Every structure is written in structure tokens, then in C-alpha cells.
Amino acid sequence: GSIYYVGGFIFDEAEPQVIYNTRDNKYYCVFQAKWENVDHHLIGRHIGAGGIPVSDDAFVSSFIQKDENSPALIYNSIGNEYFVVFEFDIFGDGSWNWLLGRRMSTLNDPIGNLVLVAAYGSNVYEPSAAYHPTQNQFIVSMDFDLGDAGTNFEVVGQRLGAESPVLEVSPSSLSF
């Protein structure tokens, strides 16, 4: 097949994650990109089964205005929607990361508010996630920094109900 551009020529696109939607016969790709050459934001875009983008770029995170990195992408086959989990640098300087999530429709629209997935007493990184259709829930695993300046990590997990994951937060409540 031929090479095609997934992103819309935004600055510094990286860390793509892609998943297949079995019901709609298309792929969903999420990636980080610099917006106005400043902070990274997450962008989502649908790709048809033939490999051609079939939607415009859409912001996953609604401009939290801090760095958003390392997306993990899940397809919820029961709800026919996606769940994107990502690192969120709350101060914008690499000193403190939380994990946030966002439900996205198959039309590339956000569903509800952002979801707080993990905000332990220190940094959390590198989310990985899966969906369990029988239980209708997500599981997210992540690296958890025990507070030793990035030298002592544990892998921890968080289960989330697919219809109402943990705690919803609005972007305005995440201002620091």
C-alpha cells in the first residue's frame, strides 16, 4: 500500500496509537502534536478500512494547556466508542504527571468531561490499557514513580467502568 498522512500537518506529530473498530470497519488513530508550536495536545482521526483518512483532526483533550503525552487507546465494542488515556504534565515542566482519560465517539467527538485515571502521590507514566467486554470495563496499567527522582518504579493498575469511569473533571478544574 501507499504511504498517507494521518495528521493534518500539525507541528511535531509523534507517539501514534491505532485501533480497529469492528462495527464501523474503520481505524481510529490518536497521536500527540504540538499546537502553535508550544505544548503537546492529543489529536484523533479516523482512517477508513482502505487506509485513507476519513475524518478531520479533532482534539481529544480540549486544550488543558499543558503537555499531554503517551496516549493509550481502547475500543469499547459494546458502547461503540473509544477511550484514550494519556499522561498530563500538570505544571508543564515535567515535574508531576497524572493520567487522564477521554471517551470519544465514533464521530470523533468528546463524550463527557475528562476522566482522572491516576493521580497518586507522585508521577505516573506510560499507560497501557485494554477493554473487557463481558465486564464492560477498562483496565489501565502504568509505571508509578515511588518518588525517588525517577529511579524506583512499580507497575500499578486501575480498573474503570466503561460507562462512567472514575471521576470526571472539567478542564477549568485542572488549572494550576
Side-chain angles (χ1 to χ4, degrees), residues 2 14 25 43 59 72 87 165:
S2 60
N25 191 30
I43 309 293
F59 287 97
E87 293 177 12

Side-chain angles (χ1 to χ4, degrees), residues 62-123:
S62 301
F63 287 102
I64 301 171
Q65 302 188 11
K66 302 288 182 191
D67 272 346
E68 301 150 10
N69 301 297
S70 301
L73 180 57
I74 310 164
Y75 172 61
N76 172 345
S77 58
I78 291 176
N80 196 32
E81 64 186 33
Y82 309 99
F83 190 58
V84 182
V85 179
F86 57 95
E87 293 177 12
F88 165 60
D89 181 354
I90 64 175
F91 298 118
D93 63 3
S95 67
W96 202 266
N97 277 2
W98 288 357
L99 294 186
L100 296 180
R102 166 74 81 173
R103 293 169 58 210
M104 297 293 289
S105 78
T106 57
L107 299 175
N108 213 13
D109 295 320
I111 300 171
N113 288 319
L114 292 163
V115 175
L116 182 60
V117 174
Y120 303 115
S122 190
N123 288 319

Side-chain angles (χ1 to χ4, degrees), residues 18-28 46 72-84 104-106 129-133 136-138 162:
V18 66
I19 199 160
Y20 182 67
N21 178 326
T22 55
R23 188 181 302 178
D24 294 344
N25 191 30
K26 63 183 175 183
Y27 301 92
Y28 188 56
H46 286 100
L73 180 57
I74 310 164
Y75 172 61
N76 172 345
S77 58
I78 291 176
N80 196 32
E81 64 186 33
Y82 309 99
F83 190 58
V84 182
M104 297 293 289
S105 78
T106 57
Y131 175 68
H132 191 301
N136 197 27
Q137 68 182 10
F138 306 117

Side-chain angles (χ1 to χ4, degrees), residues 116-165:
L116 182 60
V117 174
Y120 303 115
S122 190
N123 288 319
V124 286
Y125 301 97
E126 301 296 329
S128 180
Y131 175 68
H132 191 301
T134 305
Q135 298 293 323
N136 197 27
Q137 68 182 10
F138 306 117
I139 187 163
V140 178
S141 62
M142 66 215 77
D143 295 345
F144 173 52
D145 182 350
L146 296 173
D148 294 331
T151 60
N152 191 4
F153 288 92
E154 295 288 337
V155 174
V156 297
Q158 174 76 39
R159 287 188 313 165
L160 308 164
E163 292 180 12
S164 57

